[in-house]
Each structure stands twice: as structure tokens, then as C-alpha cells.
Amino acid sequence: LNEDHWGFFFRNRLMAVEYKNERIARERIGVFTGWKDFAVGGNQPIGRKRHTLLGQVWSAPVRTCIDLEVSERQDRIPFAEVKDLEFKRTQVGERFGPTWSTFWFKLKIHISAEYSGKEVHLMWDSNSEAMLWSDHGQPRQGFTGGGGMCRRDNYPLFHEVPSGGAEVVVYVEMACNGLFGAGRGGDIEPPDPDCSYTLSECGVSTFDAEAWQLLQRVTVIFNHQ
């Protein structure tokens, strides 16, 4: 072997040792799980999401299977009065306000037969506080939208969709305020009376419980080291 060959050998040998160190191993695990590129909304670089565990947990939300309607602005009212409200068509991207007002949404959800046997969740983000109600007036779950770590944006509609698909009607009570109010420039500041909130997501996604369990196990082992 000449000098160039030995130089190539030692350079690659050193690289092999370097690539086995703890820092790089942790970075690779972070990429594999998806936590390395994690954002609260689940955003990851295009082209990489489906190659991570985190990217396998949720399918992309489908909006076309939901007939979405909204009421006029309301004060806080009991559910008994909701079904007497007049509803009109609305869509993702609409803004609602001002601060402290309430809007009621009626969602007619059509789950097709292609989802049979799968776990399906409603994905909702109004960038505000909200409450999911059943068609019979039972509160099901609160939502917290926006970009904070307290974000809660999904609810299991069906743990296993029946063969042939299913239909369900639910209501969402959207409160035009955040988790800690509507402070002007910060949570502890006086409230801004003119805030508005954008409905940025209303769709259904499949949930892969097996991928979620594997993600949790790898994450626990990773953080235990």
C-alpha cells in the first residue's frame, strides 16, 4: 500500500471510531424517533416524516369527510340551547373573535369503509380553548390549540371503525381565549379585548397505536441512559 492508501485507511478508521460515540448515537436515535425535528404541531422536514416513528403515529388529517358548520357569536350558553341555534357553512382558515366570545361548531363526520378496523381520531385546532360535546350533550374532552407544550388537539372517535364505515355528529364549543386568558403580549398582561383565533385544523386521522407504543419504549430507554 502506498502513502495515499494508508492515509485513506486511517482517515476512515478514525471516522468509524468517531461515529460510534455517544453524541452521534443520540443524534441518530433522535432522528429515528422524530424527536430531533419535533415541533409542537408535529411538523418535521418534508420527505423525512414518514421515515420516523413519530411520523408513523398519525396519518395526514383528512378534512373532506367532515361537514362543518358554525353558529353566530354567542355568550356562554348551556348545551340545551345549542340545537336551537342557526348554523352556516364554514371552513378551516376562518378567524373568530373577539376575545371571550363563543362559537359553536356542528361536525357531521362521515368515516368511509376504507377505515374499517382502524383507530380514527378527530383533529381539532382553533388556536384557542375548546370543548368537544356529543350529539346528546355530554362533554367529551377539552382541546387546547396553538403552539404551546400544553397543546391537546385530538380525540378518539373510534378505537375500531366498524366494517362499512360510520357516521357521527359532534359539537365543538370554541372559546375565544387561550389556556391562560388573552393577555396582550403575555399571559400575565391585561387582556386584549380584540383578539381573534384561526381555525387551523378540523379533520380526521388514523392513529397507529403500535407505532406509538414503540416510540414510547424507545424514548424511555433513550432517556434512561
Side-chain angles (χ1 to χ4, degrees):
L1 295 176
N2 60 35
E3 185 176 344
D4 289 338
H5 289 129
W6 281 113
F8 177 80
F9 172 79
F10 282 114
R11 283 196 303 273
N12 282 275
R13 179 64 177 171
L14 290 172
M15 286 178 66
V17 173
E18 173 67 18
Y19 274 75
K20 290 181 181 179
N21 72 26
E22 181 179 352
R23 177 182 62 81
I24 292 177
R26 284 182 170 274
E27 286 183 356
R28 287 179 170 177
I29 294 172
V31 171
F32 169 68
T33 57
W35 294 128
K36 181 177 183 295
D37 301 304
F38 175 73
V40 176
N43 300 316
Q44 295 173 314
I46 295 174
R48 179 181 291 177
K49 185 169 185 178
R50 296 302 299 169
H51 299 284
T52 68
L53 281 179
L54 190 61
Q56 299 291 326
V57 174
W58 300 103
S59 65
V62 176
R63 301 171 181 171
T64 54
C65 61
I66 299 179
D67 295 329
L68 182 62
E69 298 179 318
V70 66
S71 71
E72 295 294 330
R73 186 178 72 189
Q74 304 293 321
D75 293 322
R76 304 295 198 245
I77 62 172
F79 187 85
E81 299 179 19
V82 171
K83 295 206 173 178
D84 293 328
L85 298 176
E86 292 187 7
F87 290 88
K88 63 180 181 180
R89 298 278 296 181
T90 189
Q91 61 186 358
V92 170
E94 295 285 340
R95 295 180 66 85
F96 300 91
T99 309
W100 311 125
S101 57
T102 299
F103 292 85
W104 285 85
F105 294 81
K106 183 177 182 179
L107 287 66
K108 297 179 182 178
I109 306 172
H110 311 276
I111 308 297
S112 66
E114 66 181 283
Y115 291 98
S116 297
K118 297 180 180 180
E119 183 169 343
V120 171
H121 288 217
L122 171 66
M123 312 299 285
W124 177 273
D125 185 1
S126 55
N127 289 280
S128 69
E129 291 288 278
M131 172 68 76
L132 180 71
W133 296 78
S134 74
D135 190 36
H136 302 294
Q138 298 174 316
R140 290 301 190 185
Q141 179 187 292
F143 293 114
T144 299
M149 292 303 294
C150 295
R151 175 185 174 90
R152 192 179 192 188
D153 64 351
N154 68 89
Y155 172 80
L157 293 170
F158 297 96
H159 289 291
E160 187 173 328
V161 174
S163 60
E167 293 189 358
V168 63
V169 176
V170 295
Y171 292 82
V172 176
E173 178 186 12
M174 174 186 173
C176 291
N177 55 265
L179 181 62
F180 300 108
R184 189 192 301 272
D187 292 336
I188 64 173
E189 301 299 325
D192 182 347
D194 298 316
C195 286
S196 62
Y197 298 84
T198 301
L199 177 60
S200 59
E201 188 56 79
C202 177
V204 297
S205 293
T206 57
F207 176 75
D208 190 330
E210 187 174 329
W212 177 252
Q213 291 295 330
L214 179 58
L215 175 64
Q216 301 310 303
R217 290 169 183 155
V218 173
T219 300
V220 168
I221 294 171
F222 171 62
N223 289 318
H224 184 68
Q225 299 302 315

